[in-house]
Amino acid sequence: MWARRSAIVGMLVWNAIVICRRASDPLIFKLTHYQAQAMPFNCKATRLAYNPRRMSTRGISLAILLVALTEYATAAQPSDGTPYLDRSDPIPHLVVDGKPFLILGGELRNSSTSSLDYMKPIWPRMAAERFNTLLAAATWQQIEPQEGKFDFSYVDATIAGAQESHLHLIILWFGSWKNGTSTYPPAWVKADRRRFPRVQDQQGTNLETLSAFSNANRDADARAFAALMKHIKEVDGTKHTVLMMQVENESGILGPGRDYSAEAEAAWKRPVPDPLLAFLAKNKERLQPEFLDIWGRTGFRTKGTWGEVFGDSQRAQEIFEAWQYSQYIDTVAAAGKAKYPIPMYVNTWITQYTGEPGGEHPSGGAVSRVLDVWLAGISHIDLLAPDIYLPDLRGVLAAYDHLGNPLFIPETRGGEAGGANALYAFGQGVFGFSPFAVDQSGDNGPLSASYAVLNQLMPLLTSIEKSKMTSVVRQAGDSMAAVELGGYLLRIQYQQGQGAPAALAGPTLAQSTVPPGAALILNTGPDEFMIAAEGLTLSFAPNSSGPRQVDILSVEEGTFHDGVWVPGRLLNGDETNGDNYLIFRGSTPTIQKVKLYRHD
């Protein structure tokens, strides 16, 4: 596939150059920042704005060629093995050293890597517990204690510790914001409120949160982040221990719905930026319902100030903040990518209940109802990722599977719920899953068991078509489920167990009392399925034309070794209830390969 893509890119480049040289009419096509970066040549025509009255046939041809070229160029793999997100398939996935990679992750406590002695026994334990990637903080206050003077010693120690245990890293940049406040900027930023202004509430009181409307705040953060990325490339650019970067942490404003500082007030009275309005108009039929509701209250206006276009409700104010935060953080990411262009994402403290106003969660963060605003505002951030501690993992993932946004869960609960949720998440196309505080958890066993199974399935999961994969997970109140796949209706009965509905959780850990039950189901051939599951039984019924009855031909329990299926027991009799259904007992997942046949 990559060889064919390279050949096409070469052809498109040649044709585009020829047209660019010969065109007498300037091209009326405006490239995004990412598209302009992808151009392997310079044509002044690409810098002109759209004007349909000046469009020539040759200009149209060049526009089409440039669009096609950028789609291929941005999907091309780096030749040096640098990690990147491959979006060429329906399920985006991470590629590391030229190979697809799933993140079987865990996030360390915020302060864990600040102590070498504390981490010394943690690294090998995490590797033994089947993690392949750890998420660890790098804080602005530690790397730049004095302005312009950097200390990367503890970042180097973190990378070295991961390498010794053959683990990968995702570095969490705690710069301007962490959980809706500014607790990690260095002292020289915190102490100078005039130079580095704060968010103000309606009474003019300064909050302990850097204002996203300050260029000084943004630029200082961007310089530090760029220095960090430059250093990571220098020490790890050929080893690829560091796979991705999280830019800031659960950004937004706690308290008021928006910033009322002088800079913010001036921005509120200015027109809504054209790029946002153009994105919304283009994707109007696919926007999130909650966002459409707010925009629709003003008649879907496409011109005017923020108040005129979206109104003055709390949700409208959250839209305003979301755009500003997206601009600030994308600028920080751009500075870092200029030094080392590995994937970067933004994580989100999601809404904790229906209708929760911004300010109870960080207002301006990429919650689902302003996801479209963020997607319109970013070009250097690769994805927007929800931190999921709520029991409705299914609903949250569905909300973020939106307009091509790749799926990744950087924070969630562990324990039995985490083990079951991991099976479900990878069956929905996530490329990474990471419970929080794994270094201090005494209950990594269920997650470790799921990761052992998922590691075996990694070659299948990174190559199978999206239409041939599905999953289920038990949530509060569930006793049964049904899914359609491969011409069959699969009926799931969760195992019996006592459990009250799980309580809502804020951005803190809370354990579910729902008995574990989950299945990751792959349709590996005609009438054939590979299923990793726990805590359920599974039966099949015809769901396509053909014979009306279905029976089990064979069931193998087994494992994968280096991508090759190794059968274990041949299950029959009591283990399939007389070939009536598959049985996955207990809370430890196993893999079964089933073949079916149909008859009248």
Side-chain angles (χ1 to χ4, degrees):
M1 179 179 68
W2 287 325
R4 178 171 62 87
R5 183 182 297 146
S6 298
I8 294 174
V9 169
M11 178 189 69
L12 291 171
V13 169
W14 173 251
N15 283 304
I17 291 173
V18 170
I19 294 174
C20 185
R21 287 176 176 172
R22 294 178 180 175
S24 57
D25 294 330
L27 174 64
I28 39 352
F29 188 78
K30 186 176 181 180
L31 297 175
T32 67
H33 177 76
Y34 252 160
Q35 290 169 330
Q37 282 189 325
M39 291 297 100
F41 58 91
N42 182 27
C43 176
K44 66 181 180 181
T46 63
R47 296 192 294 270
L48 298 180
Y50 177 73
N51 182 349
R53 289 176 293 185
R54 299 180 63 188
M55 193 66 160
S56 68
T57 302
R58 190 168 290 145
I60 293 172
S61 300
L62 179 54
I64 294 171
L65 283 168
L66 291 178
V67 171
L69 173 61
T70 57
E71 289 176 351
Y72 274 89
T74 55
Q77 73 164 346
S79 59
D80 61 357
T82 298
Y84 74 100
L85 274 176
D86 185 351
R87 299 171 180 262
S88 63
D89 295 324
I91 306 176
H93 57 269
L94 191 65
V95 178
V96 183
D97 292 321
K99 299 178 182 179
F101 186 86
L102 297 180
I103 295 168
L104 308 178
E107 182 171 336
L108 302 172
R109 284 279 187 180
N110 298 160
S111 304
S112 295
T113 54
S114 65
S115 169
L116 297 180
D117 290 339
Y118 173 84
M119 284 302 301
K120 189 173 182 178
I122 299 295
W123 298 114
R125 179 164 68 86
M126 296 293 96
E129 291 180 347
R130 309 283 186 171
F131 296 95
N132 65 19
T133 306
L134 294 179
L135 282 66
T139 73
W140 189 3
Q141 67 179 169
Q142 282 192 286
I143 74 161
E144 195 182 10
Q146 299 179 54
E147 186 171 6
K149 296 182 179 180
F150 295 96
D151 178 3
F152 298 110
S153 57
Y154 96 100
V155 176
D156 292 342
T158 299
I159 293 173
Q163 289 172 345
E164 288 175 7
S165 293
H166 308 288
L167 292 165
H168 288 283
L169 289 171
I170 294 173
I171 300 294
L172 315 180
W173 173 238
F174 290 0
S176 292
W177 303 292
K178 198 269 180 186
N179 292 35
T181 59
S182 297
T183 55
Y184 281 95
W188 56 270
V189 172
K190 289 182 177 180
D192 193 345
R193 289 175 176 255
R194 183 178 297 275
R195 182 182 170 194
F196 302 108
R198 306 304 199 266
V199 170
Q200 292 183 351
D201 63 17
Q202 286 176 290
Q203 288 72 44
T205 302
N206 285 314
L207 307 183
E208 195 50 47
T209 304
L210 292 175
S211 174
F213 292 89
S214 166
N215 291 344
N217 293 343
R218 180 199 65 200
D219 294 346
D221 190 332
R223 284 191 296 270
F225 186 63
L228 173 63
M229 295 308 299
K230 180 176 182 290
H231 183 77
I232 290 174
K233 182 177 182 180
E234 290 170 350
V235 300
D236 191 55
T238 60
K239 298 176 181 178
H240 308 141
T241 309
V242 180
L243 304 179
M244 296 202 302
M245 300 294 295
Q246 177 182 294
V247 189
E248 314 298 345
N249 188 87
E250 294 185 344
S251 302
I253 302 170
L254 289 173
R258 72 172 179 90
D259 188 353
Y260 288 89
S261 65
E263 294 84 355
E265 284 291 276
W268 175 259
K269 296 171 183 176
R270 287 195 288 266
V272 177
D274 290 338
L276 173 57
L277 293 172
F279 179 92
L280 298 178
K282 177 183 177 181
N283 295 285
K284 184 177 178 182
E285 302 304 316
R286 299 189 294 164
L287 299 176
Q288 295 279 26
E290 286 183 275
F291 179 85
L292 271 177
D293 177 62
I294 297 300
W295 191 21
R297 294 179 188 181
T298 62
F300 300 106
R301 294 189 60 166
T302 58
K303 184 178 293 187
T305 66
W306 290 92
E308 291 168 344
V309 173
F310 299 113
D312 195 24
S313 66
Q314 284 187 312
R315 292 193 183 184
Q317 294 173 3
E318 190 170 16
I319 290 169
F320 169 66
E321 284 294 337
W323 177 257
Q324 190 62 30
Y325 272 92
S326 76
Q327 298 299 284
Y328 185 117
I329 295 176
D330 196 65
T331 300
V332 173
K337 279 199 169 182
K339 302 299 181 181
Y340 189 30
I342 59 175
M344 299 185 182
Y345 70 94
V346 166
N347 72 325
T348 304
W349 172 340
I350 61 176
T351 56
Q352 302 300 296
Y353 61 88
T354 301
E356 181 184 61
E360 291 188 24
H361 60 268
S363 182
V367 298
S368 60
R369 64 180 176 232
V370 294
L371 199 60
D372 294 302
V373 179
W374 271 85
L375 291 172
I378 57 175
S379 58
H380 300 87
I381 294 294
D382 296 279
L383 65 137
L384 304 171
D387 293 343
I388 309 176
Y389 295 106
L390 296 178
D392 186 19
L393 181 118
R394 297 189 307 236
V396 175
L397 266 187
Y400 280 79
D401 187 8
H402 181 63
L403 294 180
N405 181 54
L407 293 177
F408 173 52
I409 304 175
E411 283 189 41
T412 188
R413 67 181 71 194
E416 285 189 339
N421 285 341
L423 293 179
Y424 176 78
F426 283 101
Q428 297 299 307
V430 307
F431 68 83
F433 184 89
S434 174
F436 179 65
V438 294
D439 53 321
Q440 292 187 359
S441 172
D443 194 21
N444 285 338
L447 188 66
S448 177
S450 290
Y451 279 2
V453 165
L454 289 163
N455 188 57
Q456 294 177 50
L457 292 172
M458 195 177 296
L460 265 177
L461 289 170
T462 55
S463 61
I464 198 166
E465 296 176 16
K466 189 173 185 180
S467 62
K468 296 184 180 297
M469 176 172 68
T470 191
S471 57
V472 298
V473 68
R474 187 176 194 175
Q475 294 185 172
D478 292 346
S479 61
M480 295 181 291
V483 293
E484 298 178 358
L485 188 67
Y488 290 92
L489 176 67
L490 287 67
R491 297 184 183 276
I492 291 94
Q493 177 77 47
Y494 294 114
Q495 68 183 5
Q496 297 298 314
Q498 299 299 317
L504 290 181
T508 56
L509 297 179
Q511 294 302 316
S512 171
T513 55
V514 178
L520 168 55
I521 307 165
L522 307 174
N523 180 203
T524 51
D527 307 312
E528 180 182 286
F529 296 86
M530 196 71 69
I531 302 169
E534 63 180 30
L536 54 82
T537 62
L538 191 153
S539 61
F540 299 86
N543 194 40
S544 59
S545 59
R548 291 170 293 177
Q549 303 296 320
V550 59
D551 280 306
I552 294 174
L553 189 63
S554 66
V555 182
E556 296 175 347
E557 181 183 66
T559 56
F560 280 93
H561 293 280
D562 297 324
V564 177
W565 175 246
V566 179
R569 294 185 299 167
L570 181 64
L571 302 181
N572 206 325
D574 292 344
E575 281 70 49
T576 60
N577 192 31
D579 278 350
N580 282 317
Y581 48 76
L582 308 187
I583 302 173
F584 296 88
R585 292 187 174 92
S587 58
T588 300
T590 57
I591 307 175
Q592 296 183 19
K593 179 180 181 179
V594 58
K595 293 184 179 180
L596 309 172
Y597 71 100
R598 292 174 63 172
H599 59 88
D600 286 322

